[in-house]
């Protein structure tokens, strides 16, 4: 299994942040949060089918963001008042996967929005706050 460089471009559609990824076999992936099933899915563009890249019943996903530089998928876990992340890897067979480890980036904070910048910094804001915080 070879780790490949992944580049992300952010799009906003109906309140969900969507990502595009460049990889080897599959040249572009589209990542999206699917609220009805509480998971993150992707499709190889131009694709007809989605595949699950992240599904954990203990994480109540509200929004997602992707760190281009470090290939990390960030998710707001609103039920547990935290922001979590997992490592993404595009495999030579064209599938996008995580490393299977869930890490906490921010704990005890009711985040409502997240984003990343090209340098890998995480920006977030929350309930009853008028400030945007960042974690680099």
């Amino acid at each position: 299994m070879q780790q490949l460089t992944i580049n992300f471009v952010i799009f906003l559609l109906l309140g969900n942040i969507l990502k595009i990824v460049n990889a080897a076999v599959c040249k572009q992936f589209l990542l999206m949060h699917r609220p009805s099933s509480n998971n993150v899915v992707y499709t190889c563009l131009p694709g007809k089918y989605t595949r699950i890249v992240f599904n954990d019943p203990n994480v109540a996903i509200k929004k997602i963001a992707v760190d281009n530089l470090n290939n990390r998928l960030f998710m707001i876990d609103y039920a547990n008042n935290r922001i979590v992340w997992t490592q993404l890897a595009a495999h030579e067979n064209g599938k996008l996967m995580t490393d299977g480890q869930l890490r906490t980036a921010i704990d005890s904070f009711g985040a409502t929005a997240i984003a990343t910048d090209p340098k890998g910094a995480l920006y977030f804001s929350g309930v009853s706050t008028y400030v945007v915080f960042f974690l680099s």
Side-chain angles (χ1 to χ4, degrees), residues 3 6 53 67 69-73 85-89 97-103:
Q3 177 101 15
I6 302 174
V53 70
D67 170 7
L69 187 63
N70 302 300
N71 303 332
R72 297 180 294 179
L73 170 64
W85 67 276
T86 188
Q87 193 73 44
L88 291 172
M97 302 176 78
T98 70
D99 66 356
Q101 295 183 9
L102 190 63
R103 302 156 185 92

Side-chain angles (χ1 to χ4, degrees), residues 8 10 27 33 67 74 78 87 103 112 126 135:
F8 298 92
I10 300 174
K27 296 299 179 193
H33 168 225
D67 170 7
F74 287 97
Y78 66 89
Q87 193 73 44
R103 302 156 185 92
T112 57
L135 176 70

Side-chain angles (χ1 to χ4, degrees), residues 20-127:
I20 293 181
V21 181
N22 296 321
V25 172
C26 181
K27 296 299 179 193
Q28 292 184 322
F29 293 102
L30 177 67
L31 279 82
M32 61 206 115
H33 168 225
R34 196 163 52 181
S36 61
S37 53
N38 192 45
N39 57 28
V40 178
V41 297
Y42 74 95
T43 187
C44 178
L45 294 178
K48 297 179 184 177
Y49 308 102
T50 59
R51 292 186 174 103
I52 296 173
V53 70
F54 180 83
N55 186 27
D56 185 337
N58 298 316
V59 179
I61 304 167
K62 185 171 188 170
K63 300 283 183 187
I64 65 171
V66 176
D67 170 7
N68 297 337
L69 187 63
N70 302 300
N71 303 332
R72 297 180 294 179
L73 170 64
F74 287 97
M75 297 164 281
I76 295 176
D77 179 2
Y78 66 89
N80 297 305
N81 289 320
R82 63 184 182 159
I83 298 174
V84 295
W85 67 276
T86 188
Q87 193 73 44
L88 291 172
H91 295 265
E92 290 178 351
N93 63 6
K95 292 187 178 179
L96 187 65
M97 302 176 78
T98 70
D99 66 356
Q101 295 183 9
L102 190 63
R103 302 156 185 92
T104 300
I106 305 294
D107 201 7
S108 302
F109 185 82
T112 57
I114 55 174
T116 60
D117 69 13
K119 294 182 180 182
L122 173 67
Y123 294 83
F124 57 97
S125 64
V127 178

